């Protein structure tokens, strides 16, 4: 299991350069670049599951020593769904 940061998906949906190419290499998408990010992400849920989270996962994220809370939430979501990897565009965090 791999958790994908939504930035990866939005880069494909909105054809954001220079990120769209590498992001598309991770995901085979039927089309991109024409609709809204929300529409793209909604359509993607037809074949890519969304990681379930819970109050426990939120509390776990809050207890992590990570400055960016969104990043901490991604770690908690990855843990909750059993992901072994997190794919994100922001490699610094």
């Amino acid at each position: 299991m791999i958790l994908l940061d939504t930035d990866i998906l939005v880069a494909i949906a909105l054809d954001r350069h220079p990120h769209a190419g590498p992001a598309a290499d991770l995901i085979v998408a039927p089309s991109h670049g024409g609709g809204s990010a929300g529409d793209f992400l909604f359509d993607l849920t037809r074949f890519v599951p969304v990681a379930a989270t819970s109050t426990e996962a939120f509390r776990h994220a809050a207890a992590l020593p990570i400055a960016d809370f969104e990043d901490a939430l991604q770690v908690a979501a990855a843990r909750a769904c059993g992901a072994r990897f997190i794919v994100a565009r922001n490699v610094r965090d």
Side-chain angles (χ1 to χ4, degrees), residues 4-71:
L4 293 174
D5 185 329
T6 54
D7 287 345
I8 299 293
L9 304 174
V10 170
I12 295 169
L14 300 180
D15 199 19
R16 290 188 175 159
H17 295 285
H19 308 294
D25 289 343
L26 292 170
I27 300 171
V28 177
S31 64
H32 62 277
S36 75
D39 291 342
F40 174 80
L41 294 173
F42 184 79
D43 288 344
L44 195 61
T45 62
R46 290 181 296 153
F47 55 93
V48 175
V50 175
T53 59
S54 64
T55 300
E56 179 185 334
F58 181 88
R59 289 181 178 154
H60 175 74
L64 291 172
I66 298 175
D68 186 326
F69 189 62
E70 181 183 341
D71 292 343

